[in-house]
mmCIF file of all heavy atoms in Angstrom:
data_model
loop_
_atom_site.group_PDB
_atom_site.id
_atom_site.type_symbol
_atom_site.label_atom_id
_atom_site.label_comp_id
_atom_site.label_asym_id
_atom_site.label_seq_id
_atom_site.Cartn_x
_atom_site.Cartn_y
_atom_site.Cartn_z
ATOM 1 N N LEU A 1 8.285 13.146 -53.957
ATOM 2 C CA LEU A 1 9.448 13.856 -53.378
ATOM 3 C C LEU A 1 10.048 14.804 -54.408
ATOM 4 O O LEU A 1 10.315 15.975 -54.123
ATOM 5 C CB LEU A 1 10.495 12.846 -52.896
ATOM 6 C CG LEU A 1 11.798 13.412 -52.300
ATOM 7 C CD1 LEU A 1 12.249 12.584 -51.109
ATOM 8 C CD2 LEU A 1 12.932 13.485 -53.315
ATOM 9 N N LEU A 2 10.219 14.304 -55.636
ATOM 10 C CA LEU A 2 10.827 15.103 -56.709
ATOM 11 C C LEU A 2 9.924 16.283 -57.087
ATOM 12 O O LEU A 2 10.408 17.409 -57.286
ATOM 13 C CB LEU A 2 11.072 14.215 -57.931
ATOM 14 C CG LEU A 2 11.974 14.797 -59.028
ATOM 15 C CD1 LEU A 2 13.345 15.136 -58.483
ATOM 16 C CD2 LEU A 2 12.099 13.804 -60.180
ATOM 17 N N LYS A 3 8.618 16.024 -57.144
ATOM 18 C CA LYS A 3 7.667 17.086 -57.508
ATOM 19 C C LYS A 3 7.660 18.191 -56.442
ATOM 20 O O LYS A 3 7.707 19.384 -56.758
ATOM 21 C CB LYS A 3 6.260 16.490 -57.656
ATOM 22 C CG LYS A 3 5.225 17.508 -58.121
ATOM 23 C CD LYS A 3 3.838 16.892 -58.183
ATOM 24 C CE LYS A 3 2.795 17.960 -58.513
ATOM 25 N NZ LYS A 3 1.424 17.431 -58.472
ATOM 26 N N GLY A 4 7.615 17.780 -55.171
ATOM 27 C CA GLY A 4 7.618 18.754 -54.066
ATOM 28 C C GLY A 4 8.883 19.596 -54.064
ATOM 29 O O GLY A 4 8.842 20.818 -53.880
ATOM 30 N N ALA A 5 10.043 18.928 -54.280
ATOM 31 C CA ALA A 5 11.327 19.630 -54.314
ATOM 32 C C ALA A 5 11.390 20.601 -55.491
ATOM 33 O O ALA A 5 11.883 21.728 -55.360
ATOM 34 C CB ALA A 5 12.471 18.625 -54.393
ATOM 35 N N ALA A 6 10.853 20.170 -56.659
ATOM 36 C CA ALA A 6 10.865 21.016 -57.863
ATOM 37 C C ALA A 6 9.995 22.258 -57.666
ATOM 38 O O ALA A 6 10.387 23.369 -58.042
ATOM 39 C CB ALA A 6 10.386 20.217 -59.068
ATOM 40 N N LEU A 7 8.829 22.087 -57.041
ATOM 41 C CA LEU A 7 7.936 23.230 -56.803
ATOM 42 C C LEU A 7 8.546 24.212 -55.805
ATOM 43 O O LEU A 7 8.444 25.433 -55.979
ATOM 44 C CB LEU A 7 6.565 22.737 -56.293
ATOM 45 C CG LEU A 7 5.669 22.075 -57.334
ATOM 46 C CD1 LEU A 7 4.453 21.445 -56.679
ATOM 47 C CD2 LEU A 7 5.230 23.088 -58.396
ATOM 48 N N GLN A 8 9.188 23.670 -54.766
ATOM 49 C CA GLN A 8 9.856 24.528 -53.782
ATOM 50 C C GLN A 8 10.994 25.319 -54.451
ATOM 51 O O GLN A 8 11.186 26.506 -54.183
ATOM 52 C CB GLN A 8 10.413 23.682 -52.636
ATOM 53 C CG GLN A 8 10.987 24.512 -51.496
ATOM 54 C CD GLN A 8 11.583 23.641 -50.384
ATOM 55 O OE1 GLN A 8 11.131 22.511 -50.163
ATOM 56 N NE2 GLN A 8 12.581 24.153 -49.704
ATOM 57 N N THR A 9 11.725 24.642 -55.344
ATOM 58 C CA THR A 9 12.823 25.296 -56.074
ATOM 59 C C THR A 9 12.287 26.407 -56.963
ATOM 60 O O THR A 9 12.844 27.512 -57.008
ATOM 61 C CB THR A 9 13.577 24.256 -56.945
ATOM 62 O OG1 THR A 9 14.032 23.204 -56.105
ATOM 63 C CG2 THR A 9 14.756 24.874 -57.661
ATOM 64 N N LEU A 10 11.189 26.116 -57.653
ATOM 65 C CA LEU A 10 10.572 27.111 -58.541
ATOM 66 C C LEU A 10 10.165 28.361 -57.765
ATOM 67 O O LEU A 10 10.397 29.490 -58.204
ATOM 68 C CB LEU A 10 9.336 26.487 -59.208
ATOM 69 C CG LEU A 10 8.738 27.211 -60.408
ATOM 70 C CD1 LEU A 10 9.720 27.248 -61.570
ATOM 71 C CD2 LEU A 10 7.454 26.533 -60.853
ATOM 72 N N GLN A 11 9.602 28.139 -56.582
ATOM 73 C CA GLN A 11 9.141 29.255 -55.742
ATOM 74 C C GLN A 11 10.333 30.106 -55.281
ATOM 75 O O GLN A 11 10.321 31.338 -55.395
ATOM 76 C CB GLN A 11 8.405 28.679 -54.532
ATOM 77 C CG GLN A 11 7.626 29.708 -53.745
ATOM 78 C CD GLN A 11 6.824 29.057 -52.622
ATOM 79 O OE1 GLN A 11 7.121 27.935 -52.197
ATOM 80 N NE2 GLN A 11 5.817 29.729 -52.137
ATOM 81 N N THR A 12 11.387 29.438 -54.769
ATOM 82 C CA THR A 12 12.557 30.160 -54.242
ATOM 83 C C THR A 12 13.301 30.888 -55.347
ATOM 84 O O THR A 12 13.632 32.069 -55.228
ATOM 85 C CB THR A 12 13.521 29.169 -53.538
ATOM 86 O OG1 THR A 12 12.800 28.442 -52.551
ATOM 87 C CG2 THR A 12 14.670 29.904 -52.875
ATOM 88 N N VAL A 13 13.577 30.190 -56.452
ATOM 89 C CA VAL A 13 14.352 30.788 -57.545
ATOM 90 C C VAL A 13 13.536 31.875 -58.244
ATOM 91 O O VAL A 13 14.087 32.893 -58.666
ATOM 92 C CB VAL A 13 14.817 29.706 -58.548
ATOM 93 C CG1 VAL A 13 15.584 30.325 -59.708
ATOM 94 C CG2 VAL A 13 15.703 28.696 -57.855
ATOM 95 N N GLY A 14 12.229 31.666 -58.332
ATOM 96 C CA GLY A 14 11.363 32.705 -58.897
ATOM 97 C C GLY A 14 11.505 34.006 -58.128
ATOM 98 O O GLY A 14 11.619 35.087 -58.721
ATOM 99 N N MET A 15 11.536 33.898 -56.799
ATOM 100 C CA MET A 15 11.702 35.082 -55.949
ATOM 101 C C MET A 15 13.051 35.750 -56.215
ATOM 102 O O MET A 15 13.140 36.966 -56.390
ATOM 103 C CB MET A 15 11.580 34.656 -54.476
ATOM 104 C CG MET A 15 11.753 35.774 -53.470
ATOM 105 S SD MET A 15 13.454 35.937 -52.878
ATOM 106 C CE MET A 15 13.663 34.433 -51.930
ATOM 107 N N ILE A 16 14.125 34.925 -56.293
ATOM 108 C CA ILE A 16 15.473 35.469 -56.516
ATOM 109 C C ILE A 16 15.552 36.164 -57.882
ATOM 110 O O ILE A 16 16.095 37.269 -58.005
ATOM 111 C CB ILE A 16 16.541 34.355 -56.410
ATOM 112 C CG1 ILE A 16 16.633 33.832 -54.968
ATOM 113 C CG2 ILE A 16 17.918 34.850 -56.879
ATOM 114 C CD1 ILE A 16 17.540 32.622 -54.788
ATOM 115 N N VAL A 17 14.983 35.529 -58.918
ATOM 116 C CA VAL A 17 15.038 36.098 -60.275
ATOM 117 C C VAL A 17 14.263 37.408 -60.354
ATOM 118 O O VAL A 17 14.738 38.392 -60.918
ATOM 119 C CB VAL A 17 14.510 35.088 -61.327
ATOM 120 C CG1 VAL A 17 14.357 35.752 -62.688
ATOM 121 C CG2 VAL A 17 15.454 33.904 -61.445
ATOM 122 N N TRP A 18 13.063 37.439 -59.738
ATOM 123 C CA TRP A 18 12.270 38.671 -59.785
ATOM 124 C C TRP A 18 12.968 39.817 -59.054
ATOM 125 O O TRP A 18 12.948 40.965 -59.516
ATOM 126 C CB TRP A 18 10.873 38.438 -59.202
ATOM 127 C CG TRP A 18 9.895 38.003 -60.251
ATOM 128 C CD1 TRP A 18 9.317 36.771 -60.373
ATOM 129 C CD2 TRP A 18 9.409 38.772 -61.350
ATOM 130 N NE1 TRP A 18 8.505 36.737 -61.481
ATOM 131 C CE2 TRP A 18 8.532 37.950 -62.101
ATOM 132 C CE3 TRP A 18 9.629 40.084 -61.783
ATOM 133 C CZ2 TRP A 18 7.885 38.395 -63.245
ATOM 134 C CZ3 TRP A 18 8.982 40.529 -62.926
ATOM 135 C CH2 TRP A 18 8.121 39.691 -63.642
ATOM 136 N N ILE A 19 13.582 39.507 -57.904
ATOM 137 C CA ILE A 19 14.337 40.553 -57.189
ATOM 138 C C ILE A 19 15.511 41.001 -58.058
ATOM 139 O O ILE A 19 15.825 42.193 -58.143
ATOM 140 C CB ILE A 19 14.827 40.048 -55.810
ATOM 141 C CG1 ILE A 19 13.648 39.848 -54.859
ATOM 142 C CG2 ILE A 19 15.817 41.048 -55.186
ATOM 143 C CD1 ILE A 19 13.993 39.232 -53.527
ATOM 144 N N GLY A 20 16.147 40.040 -58.740
ATOM 145 C CA GLY A 20 17.264 40.362 -59.633
ATOM 146 C C GLY A 20 16.842 41.272 -60.766
ATOM 147 O O GLY A 20 17.539 42.239 -61.105
ATOM 148 N N ILE A 21 15.681 40.977 -61.360
ATOM 149 C CA ILE A 21 15.165 41.798 -62.463
ATOM 150 C C ILE A 21 14.900 43.230 -61.972
ATOM 151 O O ILE A 21 15.328 44.209 -62.586
ATOM 152 C CB ILE A 21 13.879 41.168 -63.043
ATOM 153 C CG1 ILE A 21 14.225 39.881 -63.808
ATOM 154 C CG2 ILE A 21 13.135 42.148 -63.946
ATOM 155 C CD1 ILE A 21 13.014 39.049 -64.206
ATOM 156 N N GLY A 22 14.190 43.326 -60.831
ATOM 157 C CA GLY A 22 13.856 44.644 -60.282
ATOM 158 C C GLY A 22 15.090 45.438 -59.893
ATOM 159 O O GLY A 22 15.218 46.628 -60.227
ATOM 160 N N ALA A 23 16.027 44.773 -59.195
ATOM 161 C CA ALA A 23 17.242 45.460 -58.728
ATOM 162 C C ALA A 23 18.116 45.881 -59.907
ATOM 163 O O ALA A 23 18.682 46.979 -59.904
ATOM 164 C CB ALA A 23 18.017 44.557 -57.785
ATOM 165 N N SER A 24 18.248 45.012 -60.925
ATOM 166 C CA SER A 24 19.048 45.354 -62.113
ATOM 167 C C SER A 24 18.482 46.586 -62.814
ATOM 168 O O SER A 24 19.227 47.483 -63.220
ATOM 169 C CB SER A 24 19.077 44.189 -63.104
ATOM 170 O OG SER A 24 19.710 43.075 -62.549
ATOM 171 N N ALA A 25 17.167 46.610 -62.944
ATOM 172 C CA ALA A 25 16.511 47.759 -63.596
ATOM 173 C C ALA A 25 16.717 49.035 -62.783
ATOM 174 O O ALA A 25 17.070 50.086 -63.331
ATOM 175 C CB ALA A 25 15.019 47.472 -63.760
ATOM 176 N N LEU A 26 16.537 48.923 -61.465
ATOM 177 C CA LEU A 26 16.672 50.102 -60.596
ATOM 178 C C LEU A 26 18.094 50.657 -60.614
ATOM 179 O O LEU A 26 18.297 51.865 -60.768
ATOM 180 C CB LEU A 26 16.265 49.742 -59.159
ATOM 181 C CG LEU A 26 16.232 50.909 -58.170
ATOM 182 C CD1 LEU A 26 15.094 51.857 -58.496
ATOM 183 C CD2 LEU A 26 16.099 50.419 -56.736
ATOM 184 N N VAL A 27 19.082 49.761 -60.475
ATOM 185 C CA VAL A 27 20.486 50.201 -60.474
ATOM 186 C C VAL A 27 20.864 50.785 -61.834
ATOM 187 O O VAL A 27 21.603 51.771 -61.915
ATOM 188 C CB VAL A 27 21.426 49.023 -60.087
ATOM 189 C CG1 VAL A 27 22.889 49.400 -60.299
ATOM 190 C CG2 VAL A 27 21.201 48.623 -58.635
ATOM 191 N N GLY A 28 20.312 50.212 -62.930
ATOM 192 C CA GLY A 28 20.577 50.739 -64.269
ATOM 193 C C GLY A 28 20.095 52.172 -64.424
ATOM 194 O O GLY A 28 20.837 53.040 -64.905
ATOM 195 N N VAL A 29 18.850 52.442 -63.981
ATOM 196 C CA VAL A 29 18.290 53.804 -64.058
ATOM 197 C C VAL A 29 19.066 54.738 -63.128
ATOM 198 O O VAL A 29 19.382 55.881 -63.483
ATOM 199 C CB VAL A 29 16.786 53.788 -63.689
ATOM 200 C CG1 VAL A 29 16.213 55.201 -63.664
ATOM 201 C CG2 VAL A 29 16.006 52.935 -64.670
ATOM 202 N N PHE A 30 19.388 54.243 -61.944
ATOM 203 C CA PHE A 30 20.149 55.016 -60.944
ATOM 204 C C PHE A 30 21.490 55.469 -61.531
ATOM 205 O O PHE A 30 21.900 56.621 -61.377
ATOM 206 C CB PHE A 30 20.358 54.119 -59.714
ATOM 207 C CG PHE A 30 20.982 54.815 -58.536
ATOM 208 C CD1 PHE A 30 20.254 55.718 -57.778
ATOM 209 C CD2 PHE A 30 22.294 54.548 -58.179
ATOM 210 C CE1 PHE A 30 20.831 56.348 -56.678
ATOM 211 C CE2 PHE A 30 22.875 55.177 -57.084
ATOM 212 C CZ PHE A 30 22.137 56.070 -56.333
ATOM 213 N N ASN A 31 22.164 54.563 -62.229
ATOM 214 C CA ASN A 31 23.456 54.886 -62.856
ATOM 215 C C ASN A 31 23.287 55.918 -63.977
ATOM 216 O O ASN A 31 24.085 56.845 -64.104
ATOM 217 C CB ASN A 31 24.114 53.631 -63.433
ATOM 218 C CG ASN A 31 24.586 52.682 -62.362
ATOM 219 O OD1 ASN A 31 24.541 53.013 -61.178
ATOM 220 N ND2 ASN A 31 25.024 51.501 -62.743
ATOM 221 N N LEU A 32 22.235 55.730 -64.807
ATOM 222 C CA LEU A 32 21.982 56.667 -65.911
ATOM 223 C C LEU A 32 21.725 58.083 -65.401
ATOM 224 O O LEU A 32 22.094 59.067 -66.040
ATOM 225 C CB LEU A 32 20.774 56.200 -66.732
ATOM 226 C CG LEU A 32 21.005 55.049 -67.733
ATOM 227 C CD1 LEU A 32 19.681 54.607 -68.324
ATOM 228 C CD2 LEU A 32 21.955 55.480 -68.850
ATOM 229 N N MET A 33 21.102 58.176 -64.233
ATOM 230 C CA MET A 33 20.793 59.484 -63.646
ATOM 231 C C MET A 33 21.999 60.103 -62.940
ATOM 232 O O MET A 33 21.894 61.198 -62.380
ATOM 233 C CB MET A 33 19.627 59.338 -62.653
ATOM 234 C CG MET A 33 18.298 59.031 -63.321
ATOM 235 S SD MET A 33 17.027 58.524 -62.125
ATOM 236 C CE MET A 33 16.821 60.014 -61.184
ATOM 237 N N GLY A 34 23.127 59.365 -62.930
ATOM 238 C CA GLY A 34 24.326 59.885 -62.268
ATOM 239 C C GLY A 34 24.390 59.549 -60.792
ATOM 240 O O GLY A 34 25.197 60.107 -60.047
ATOM 241 N N GLY A 35 23.535 58.637 -60.376
ATOM 242 C CA GLY A 35 23.469 58.284 -58.953
ATOM 243 C C GLY A 35 24.736 57.650 -58.427
ATOM 244 O O GLY A 35 25.132 57.894 -57.282
#
């Protein structure tokens, strides 16, 4: 049960973190360009 829950958490949070990394980078460049 614990292993299954941990793997599901890793998958979900991994998705959130990667979107966060991409969005942070995009908004940073957008701001630098005067967007």
Side-chain angles (χ1 to χ4, degrees):
L1 178 141
L2 193 59
K3 184 183 174 185
L7 287 171
Q8 186 182 331
T9 304
L10 194 64
Q11 192 175 20
T12 306
V13 178
M15 179 267 292
I16 293 173
V17 171
W18 270 111
I19 291 174
I21 289 170
S24 296
L26 185 69
V27 171
V29 176
F30 187 73
N31 291 353
L32 282 173
M33 291 168 66

